[in-house]
Amino acid sequence: MFAHHQKSQLTDWLPMLTWLKNYTRQDFNSDLLAGIITAILLVPQGIAYAILAGLPVQLGLYASIIPTICYALLGSSRTLSVGPVAVAAIMIASALKTPELIALGNPAESAVILSAETGLIMLVMALLRMGGLVNFISHPVLTGFTSGAAILIIVSQLPQFLGLTAPACSLTFDCYADYFSHANLITLALGLGAFSTLFFFQKLLPYLLNLMAFKPNMINAISKCGPLMTVILATIAVSQFNLTAQHVAVVGQIPAGFPDINIHFGNFEKWRLLLTSSAFIALIAYVESVAIAKVVANLRSEKIAPNQELIALGLANIASSFSGGMPVAGGFSRTMVNFSAGARTQMAMLIAGSLLAVAVMFVSQWFTNIPKASLAAIIVIAIIPLVKLKNIIQTWHYDRGDGIAEVITLLGVVSLGIEKGITLGIVLTIASHLRKTSQPHIAVVGRIANTEHFRNIKRHQVQTWQHILLLRIDESITFANVNYIEEFLTKELIRQPNTSHIVLILTSVNDIDSTALDALEMLNASLKTANITLNLSEVKGPVLDKLEKTDFLKQLSPGKVFFRTQDAVNTLS
Amino acid sequence: MFAHHQKSQLTDWLPMLTWLKNYTRQDFNSDLLAGIITAILLVPQGIAYAILAGLPVQLGLYASIIPTICYALLGSSRTLSVGPVAVAAIMIASALKTPELIALGNPAESAVILSAETGLIMLVMALLRMGGLVNFISHPVLTGFTSGAAILIIVSQLPQFLGLTAPACSLTFDCYADYFSHANLITLALGLGAFSTLFFFQKLLPYLLNLMAFKPNMINAISKCGPLMTVILATIAVSQFNLTAQHVAVVGQIPAGFPDINIHFGNFEKWRLLLTSSAFIALIAYVESVAIAKVVANLRSEKIAPNQELIALGLANIASSFSGGMPVAGGFSRTMVNFSAGARTQMAMLIAGSLLAVAVMFVSQWFTNIPKASLAAIIVIAIIPLVKLKNIIQTWHYDRGDGIAEVITLLGVVSLGIEKGITLGIVLTIASHLRKTSQPHIAVVGRIANTEHFRNIKRHQVQTWQHILLLRIDESITFANVNYIEEFLTKELIRQPNTSHIVLILTSVNDIDSTALDALEMLNASLKTANITLNLSEVKGPVLDKLEKTDFLKQLSPGKVFFRTQDAVNTLS
């Protein structure tokens, strides 16, 4: 028994043990192919997302190695690919933009501290078992947020295609005319070329290969090489025609081998300044990762363990920090590539991470001449599917309230920024949820003739009594709904002015909290001045135990607590 | 009909019309006495609360005149007395303490702008019909908050008794020894004298008068003069013995006649800096006022109109601003004095406000020599009943969760400050409420033999089918609970591994939001891979209409939507 317990604990902590014990040669072959294909995507993505976050490119590459491997060992998803992701990258950019942080210098250090803090917050959430938190970010809020962030990302990439920095002027025609007149046309050409290459690999090539009767698996694998080919072609163009002399922006020298960034983890002022942003990144990274993991797990009837995900992602972020990387999460495109390339287990990610480590150690000089415009094209193509306009329209048609929440969150993110936008969305959704749950179902009931069954007078032919008002309250009575119940009762009294006894039937009431108790006491007092008694029936044991600790039952007198509603009717009529 | 409508609208906007039309000579006599007694309390309270807020005393006096009259004309409570109150005063003090505001100078101007902004926020809340907001501040949070604020206030008054400013040192013995060595013993004597006088009027004198067979009304009226007599005696002592020469702090010269403060309402930077504080003061002022108004209304079976209260309090605050006063609210002690002095209508407050106006215009020089120590004694005596330790203990015994919320709010207010403390309390309460409402009641049901009634298998002797799992979900399915429902269903499937059909009985489901729909689609997809069909029965019209706009019902196939649960059983078994 103990041994069994021990073992089940171990697989809980190391989910890889569940697949490793039955691991076959076939599994490895599948995972090897998926690992290689995903690794090919990881290079341009890692570099691109570091640039998007405004960081030296090696922070993106480092974040694609140890964290990916760390999650592979600990995560409960078999195919989620963890590393730098676009939405987190733009949140990092926004976190590092505050003047106080800029004044403290060394943005790479700030980013690495951000990784550590994000990871620690996730571990604290895991400790408090807050995995269920994910339930309170509704899909409309999440979709609105992701779409808004994607729009922000796309807009942020536009200057890259023109070889410009972000415009310094406001929205006047003269200023913009001047701004665009400085565009670098060679950079623009490279960007358009990159788009064409990506389009060719994503749409045209699969179509052609299909005509040529290639196997679907093969087609899939070849089409996934689009980003890498784009980068290779663009880099060759830069080197061949010496385009850096033409002011085409490139990635530049990457320090070879492993991290040598100068990090002082003891810079507590930075920890303090980054706290709010880390909390938001932790929340979003967790929610997005679990959402993606669930989609792929569902396709194969696997299960995701929410709390284990918090631990795995938290440790992956801490690992990223110690290996000099930026914050990480489960990425949508990388996971989809991994999954559709046939990955069966996290072995694929162990392989991808190891391959990337080799690349960073030995061939990082190959990355020097990659033009930034081609990376911007890769980001834009990867991010466009995240702007889910179709989903927003569907939601709007299905549920107007959800549609409004989605649009407001999107607009909030675009206009107020990432953190305020999502806070707005969450607050709105919870407020509307509270408003709805504060109106519980209450039925005025009567007795079905010749039985002891009491039913809603609106739905059944029932017997009623002029002096007795029978109300069945179908939810626990709490601060959130006791006012509504009071208003409902007052309205019923106006409709039935001859009432001299009210019976609250508490079959569905599992709790009466202290706010509700206060309100019931006040209600009882004012009913007494109108010579109406307040009675209870069918009170559940735990509720009665609580009420007996107070004066309330004495205050009710001459009102009583009846065991059955039938008893109340017998006594009062 | 139209005329009636017109009239009912007028009394809605001017509740005073309802009592004015039947107003009698007896009513006036009662109101006159109550008005005079309350006015006597208003002078020391107005001065004391202005000092508590760190403001020139006239801001408290001005706030006791026009705002009191304004509320008397518009408020829906017949006995609520509106003016400066202790809890708002300490919130004002904390609002004005931020370095940015201090840098802008002229704290009186800031306070007057704060009144206007608080009033405007209340009017906006009224416009959005947010009167119901009060329901989401539970009693434990409110009591915890009030008790915490009261403790802060009492502590803030201690240096006044010693004639000291707040200590500049931290908690070391040497520092405190030095601090207290500078105490002004004459001030301390005056403070103790004030306490004794207040105690005499509050406890001893009523007892003696009772022995001497005075009428209760008379005793009550006399005992209410305690604060005024305290102030008169202390002032005489100061003047007689020239105690100002002994460094006893006094109120000082008050500008005679009406406001001449130099206010620039166009100082938008102040509006911006005060926004958060105004929102908190508006919320607390409104919630506390309604709570007090409800208590007294209940004693006489009168009704409070929440939205009208927002309008009346909002306009009272704007009136306070334009007459150069600090933010106002309904006060606990002043209302209780007014009520127990026999006030029948707001005529009492019209009289009290007018009397105070006369006093401020013609005899304000009498206030010059009032020692601050006597005012501190009045504040402490007025505030002690707000520290509701007994209530906290009762709540703790009645409902542990509520008790914890109450204690955390109290500790939060005392340690983190007013605004953070109450935010903490509200967030905790709403989070715990969300957690509870995210676990709806779900029943596994079976059929009562020889009927078409389906009931909980735990409570009734029912017929079940091995391959069919019938689940009745007793709440609308939303983002907040759909995960719980999914987990419940998964557990039931593990207990009944032979299930091949699941029927969700939706009798109590009034809505399925878009998050829930997504989750149900994913659930259905993964059930299909396990060869289990998902079926619905007793779907309400509006819910079915919504579902028909989507693909979900097609996706269910071979699962179906059944009109009655009986139909489902007939088809599937």
Side-chain angles (χ1 to χ4, degrees):
Chain A
M1 186 63 202
F2 181 74
H4 171 74
H5 187 64
Q6 192 84 333
K7 191 178 157 201
S8 95
Q9 267 199 333
L10 240 170
T11 54
D12 279 356
W13 287 94
L14 274 179
M16 66 173 295
L17 296 181
T18 54
W19 53 263
L20 205 58
K21 60 180 176 193
N22 301 318
Y23 200 68
T24 64
R25 181 80 217 175
Q26 282 77 10
D27 289 336
F28 182 76
N29 288 345
S30 285
D31 285 340
L32 181 64
L33 181 66
I36 293 171
I37 291 177
T38 310
I40 285 170
L41 180 74
L42 294 190
V43 174
Q45 273 203 352
I47 295 175
Y49 294 152
I51 293 174
L52 177 55
L55 293 170
V57 294
Q58 62 269 32
L59 271 86
L61 290 171
Y62 299 157
S64 315
I65 302 171
I66 309 283
T68 305
I69 293 172
C70 177
Y71 180 86
L73 299 175
L74 296 167
S76 69
S77 164
R78 294 208 181 169
T79 37
L80 188 70
S81 171
V82 165
V85 300
V87 172
I90 199 160
M91 293 178 82
I92 296 163
S94 129
L96 300 182
K97 230 168 33 194
T98 56
E100 293 95 329
L101 259 179
I102 291 173
L104 293 174
N106 199 350
E109 179 184 79
S110 305
V112 170
I113 290 178
L114 192 61
S115 304
E117 201 163 4
T118 302
L120 285 174
I121 289 175
M122 285 173 162
L123 291 184
V124 170
M125 284 166 68
L127 207 68
L128 299 175
R129 308 204 67 79
M130 282 165 74
L133 206 77
V134 59
N135 303 343
F136 291 110
I137 299 189
S138 67
H139 289 193
V141 167
L142 194 58
T143 309
F145 166 75
T146 316
S147 303
I151 291 172
L152 284 184
I153 292 169
I154 292 169
V155 170
S156 78
Q157 294 308 300
L158 292 183
Q160 299 272 15
F161 289 115
L162 303 169
L164 297 169
T165 49
C169 55
S170 54
L171 292 163
T172 62
F173 180 76
D174 281 0
C175 165
Y176 268 85
D178 180 63
Y179 177 68
F180 286 117
S181 72
H182 292 90
N184 184 316
L185 294 181
I186 300 176
T187 304
L188 185 58
L190 272 171
L192 293 177
F195 266 123
S196 313
T197 315
L198 287 165
F199 180 78
F200 174 75
F201 271 88
Q202 202 169 59
K203 305 281 177 190
L204 214 56
L205 191 60
Y207 179 76
L208 294 175
L209 293 176
N210 192 31
L211 288 183
M212 292 152 74
F214 272 70
K215 282 191 191 150
N217 258 352
M218 199 65 186
I219 298 177
N220 202 1
I222 293 175
S223 99
K224 293 300 181 254
C225 296
L228 185 73
M229 284 307 297
T230 306
V231 161
I232 291 176
L233 291 176
T235 308
I236 290 174
V238 168
S239 309
Q240 205 62 23
F241 306 111
N242 193 19
L243 295 183
T244 45
Q246 307 289 330
H247 304 294
V248 167
V250 296
V251 163
Q253 197 83 46
I254 297 174
F258 257 84
D260 59 347
I261 305 173
N262 179 21
I263 308 290
H264 292 286
F265 281 103
N267 196 332
F268 293 114
E269 183 62 7
K270 286 194 173 179
W271 285 82
R272 193 182 65 77
L273 290 169
L274 289 167
L275 181 61
T276 315
S277 300
S278 323
F280 273 102
I281 294 175
L283 187 69
I284 291 297
Y286 170 62
V287 173
E288 296 263 16
S289 304
V290 169
I292 297 165
K294 271 193 173 176
V295 168
V296 281
N298 222 54
L299 294 173
R300 290 200 192 142
S301 297
E302 292 163 2
K303 279 282 159 202
I304 300 299
N307 230 56
Q308 178 63 20
E309 286 303 285
L310 270 176
I311 295 169
L313 289 166
L315 290 175
N317 271 291
I318 291 171
S320 183
S321 178
F322 285 124
S323 61
M326 60 197 273
V328 295
F332 179 73
S333 53
R334 47 168 61 213
T335 302
M336 280 313 180
V337 166
N338 186 38
F339 183 82
S340 58
R344 295 189 185 179
T345 71
Q346 284 289 351
M347 181 63 80
M349 284 303 101
L350 293 176
I351 292 165
S354 310
L355 286 176
L356 202 64
V358 172
V360 168
M361 273 193 281
F362 300 111
V363 298
S364 71
Q365 70 281 9
W366 294 359
F367 306 152
T368 312
N369 276 340
I370 300 177
K372 288 185 175 178
S374 66
L375 296 171
I378 292 173
I379 293 179
V380 170
I381 292 289
I383 226 69
I384 281 176
L386 295 186
V387 184
K388 295 185 181 157
L389 287 183
K390 205 178 133 200
N391 181 300
I392 292 174
I393 293 166
Q394 277 175 349
T395 306
W396 185 273
H397 280 295
Y398 177 70
D399 186 314
R400 192 54 47 95
D402 280 352
I404 291 172
E406 196 156 321
V407 170
I408 287 182
T409 309
L410 190 158
L411 295 178
V413 167
V414 171
S415 63
L416 305 173
I418 298 268
E419 294 176 5
K420 283 188 185 152
I422 190 151
T423 307
L424 180 71
I426 293 173
V427 167
L428 271 181
T429 318
I430 289 181
S432 115
H433 175 68
L434 283 178
R435 207 176 51 77
K436 281 185 202 159
T437 58
S438 68
Q439 302 177 349
H441 186 250
I442 307 174
V444 180
V445 301
R447 187 173 62 182
I448 295 179
N450 304 321
T451 73
E452 295 192 353
H453 286 293
F454 290 81
R455 289 298 170 79
N456 198 332
I457 57 167
K458 285 189 189 155
R459 301 207 201 163
H460 297 82
Q461 196 77 37
V462 291
Q463 175 187 7
T464 57
W465 296 263
Q466 224 192 346
H467 299 284
I468 309 176
L469 177 59
L470 300 167
L471 289 178
R472 195 190 67 222
I473 297 165
D474 287 350
E475 209 165 287
S476 289
I477 311 180
T478 67
F479 70 98
N481 63 24
V482 71
N483 250 53
Y484 177 84
I485 294 171
E486 213 180 317
E487 279 163 28
F488 186 95
L489 196 146
T490 310
K491 276 184 209 148
E492 283 303 320
L493 281 181
I494 292 168
R495 282 212 279 172
Q496 304 187 36
N498 293 324
T499 303
S500 52
H501 305 289
I502 294 172
V503 182
L504 301 181
I505 306 171
L506 305 186
T507 19
S508 300
V509 173
N510 295 316
D511 190 29
I512 296 179
D513 75 3
S514 59
T515 309
L517 179 69
D518 290 350
L520 288 178
E521 287 181 347
M522 273 175 80
L523 176 69
N524 178 51
S526 75
L527 286 174
K528 265 192 183 170
T529 63
N531 282 320
I532 300 173
T533 71
L534 184 66
N535 306 271
L536 309 177
S537 82
E538 319 213 21
V539 187
K540 290 189 176 179
V543 176
L544 199 58
D545 288 348
K546 271 179 92 173
L547 292 179
E548 275 170 352
K549 287 188 210 160
T550 71
D551 279 343
F552 181 59
L553 300 180
K554 273 178 223 149
Q555 289 170 32
L556 281 182
S557 172
K560 288 194 188 67
V561 178
F562 296 98
F563 188 62
R564 299 177 313 154
T565 308
Q566 181 61 45
D567 301 338
V569 170
N570 290 343
T571 310
L572 300 173
S573 66
Chain B
M1 185 62 203
F2 182 73
H4 173 75
H5 187 64
Q6 192 83 335
K7 190 179 157 201
S8 95
Q9 268 199 332
L10 238 170
T11 55
D12 279 356
W13 286 92
L14 274 179
M16 66 174 295
L17 295 181
T18 54
W19 52 263
L20 205 58
K21 61 182 176 192
N22 301 317
Y23 201 68
T24 65
R25 180 79 217 174
Q26 282 77 11
D27 288 336
F28 183 76
N29 288 345
S30 283
D31 285 341
L32 182 64
L33 181 67
I36 293 171
I37 291 176
T38 311
I40 286 171
L41 179 74
L42 294 190
V43 174
Q45 273 203 350
I47 295 175
Y49 294 153
I51 293 174
L52 177 54
L55 293 170
V57 293
Q58 62 269 32
L59 271 85
L61 290 171
Y62 298 158
S64 314
I65 302 172
I66 310 283
T68 304
I69 293 173
C70 178
Y71 180 86
L73 299 175
L74 296 167
S76 69
S77 163
R78 294 207 180 169
T79 37
L80 189 68
S81 172
V82 165
V85 301
V87 172
I90 200 161
M91 294 178 83
I92 296 164
S94 128
L96 301 182
K97 228 165 38 193
T98 56
E100 293 95 329
L101 260 178
I102 291 173
L104 293 174
N106 199 351
E109 180 184 77
S110 305
V112 169
I113 289 178
L114 192 61
S115 305
E117 201 163 2
T118 302
L120 285 174
I121 289 175
M122 285 173 164
L123 291 185
V124 169
M125 285 166 68
L127 207 69
L128 300 174
R129 307 204 69 79
M130 282 165 73
L133 205 77
V134 58
N135 302 344
F136 291 109
I137 300 188
S138 68
H139 289 193
V141 168
L142 193 60
T143 309
F145 166 74
T146 316
S147 303
I151 291 171
L152 284 184
I153 292 169
I154 292 169
V155 171
S156 78
Q157 293 308 298
L158 293 183
Q160 299 273 12
F161 289 114
L162 303 170
L164 297 169
T165 48
C169 56
S170 53
L171 291 163
T172 63
F173 180 77
D174 280 359
C175 164
Y176 268 84
D178 179 63
Y179 176 69
F180 286 116
S181 71
H182 291 90
N184 185 316
L185 294 181
I186 300 176
T187 303
L188 185 58
L190 272 172
L192 294 178
F195 267 122
S196 314
T197 315
L198 287 165
F199 180 78
F200 175 75
F201 272 88
Q202 203 170 58
K203 306 280 176 191
L204 214 56
L205 191 60
Y207 179 74
L208 294 175
L209 293 176
N210 193 29
L211 289 184
M212 291 152 75
F214 272 69
K215 282 189 191 152
N217 259 353
M218 198 66 188
I219 298 177
N220 202 1
I222 293 174
S223 96
K224 293 304 179 246
C225 297
L228 185 74
M229 285 306 297
T230 306
V231 162
I232 290 176
L233 291 176
T235 309
I236 290 174
V238 168
S239 310
Q240 206 62 22
F241 305 111
N242 192 20
L243 295 183
T244 45
Q246 307 288 331
H247 305 294
V248 167
V250 296
V251 164
Q253 198 83 44
I254 296 175
F258 257 84
D260 60 347
I261 304 173
N262 180 21
I263 307 292
H264 291 286
F265 280 103
N267 196 332
F268 292 114
E269 183 62 9
K270 285 195 173 179
W271 286 82
R272 193 182 65 76
L273 290 169
L274 289 167
L275 181 62
T276 316
S277 300
S278 320
F280 273 102
I281 294 175
L283 187 70
I284 291 298
Y286 170 63
V287 173
E288 295 263 16
S289 303
V290 169
I292 297 165
K294 271 193 174 174
V295 168
V296 281
N298 221 53
L299 294 173
R300 290 199 193 144
S301 298
E302 292 162 2
K303 277 284 159 202
I304 301 299
N307 229 56
Q308 177 64 20
E309 285 304 285
L310 270 176
I311 296 170
L313 289 166
L315 291 175
N317 271 291
I318 291 171
S320 184
S321 178
F322 285 124
S323 61
M326 60 198 272
V328 296
F332 178 73
S333 53
R334 47 168 61 212
T335 301
M336 280 313 180
V337 165
N338 186 38
F339 183 83
S340 58
R344 295 188 183 179
T345 71
Q346 282 289 353
M347 181 62 81
M349 283 303 101
L350 292 176
I351 292 166
S354 310
L355 286 177
L356 202 64
V358 173
V360 168
M361 274 193 278
F362 300 110
V363 299
S364 71
Q365 71 282 8
W366 294 359
F367 306 153
T368 312
N369 275 339
I370 300 176
K372 287 185 175 178
S374 66
L375 295 171
I378 291 172
I379 293 179
V380 170
I381 292 288
I383 226 69
I384 281 177
L386 296 185
V387 185
K388 295 185 180 155
L389 287 182
K390 206 180 132 198
N391 179 299
I392 292 174
I393 293 166
Q394 277 175 349
T395 306
W396 185 274
H397 281 294
Y398 177 70
D399 185 315
R400 193 52 49 93
D402 280 352
I404 292 171
E406 196 156 320
V407 169
I408 287 182
T409 309
L410 191 158
L411 295 178
V413 167
V414 170
S415 63
L416 305 173
I418 297 269
E419 294 176 5
K420 283 189 186 151
I422 190 151
T423 308
L424 180 70
I426 293 174
V427 167
L428 272 181
T429 318
I430 289 181
S432 116
H433 175 67
L434 283 177
R435 206 177 51 79
K436 281 184 201 160
T437 59
S438 68
Q439 302 177 350
H441 187 250
I442 308 173
V444 179
V445 301
R447 186 172 62 182
I448 295 180
N450 304 322
T451 73
E452 295 192 352
H453 286 292
F454 289 82
R455 289 299 169 78
N456 199 332
I457 57 168
K458 285 189 189 155
R459 301 205 202 165
H460 297 83
Q461 196 77 38
V462 290
Q463 174 188 6
T464 56
W465 295 264
Q466 224 192 347
H467 298 285
I468 309 177
L469 178 58
L470 299 167
L471 288 179
R472 195 188 68 220
I473 297 165
D474 287 350
E475 209 165 288
S476 289
I477 311 180
T478 67
F479 70 96
N481 63 24
V482 70
N483 249 53
Y484 177 83
I485 294 171
E486 212 180 317
E487 279 164 27
F488 186 96
L489 196 146
T490 310
K491 275 183 208 150
E492 282 303 319
L493 281 180
I494 293 169
R495 281 210 281 169
Q496 303 187 36
N498 292 326
T499 303
S500 53
H501 305 288
I502 293 172
V503 182
L504 301 181
I505 306 172
L506 305 187
T507 19
S508 300
V509 173
N510 295 315
D511 190 29
I512 295 179
D513 75 4
S514 57
T515 309
L517 179 69
D518 290 351
L520 288 178
E521 287 181 347
M522 274 176 79
L523 176 69
N524 177 51
S526 76
L527 286 174
K528 266 192 183 170
T529 62
N531 282 322
I532 299 173
T533 71
L534 184 67
N535 306 271
L536 308 178
S537 82
E538 319 214 19
V539 187
K540 290 190 177 179
V543 177
L544 199 58
D545 289 348
K546 271 179 90 172
L547 292 179
E548 275 170 351
K549 287 189 212 160
T550 71
D551 280 344
F552 181 59
L553 300 179
K554 273 180 226 150
Q555 290 171 31
L556 281 182
S557 173
K560 289 195 187 67
V561 177
F562 295 98
F563 188 63
R564 299 178 313 155
T565 308
Q566 181 59 45
D567 301 339
V569 170
N570 290 343
T571 310
L572 302 172
S573 67

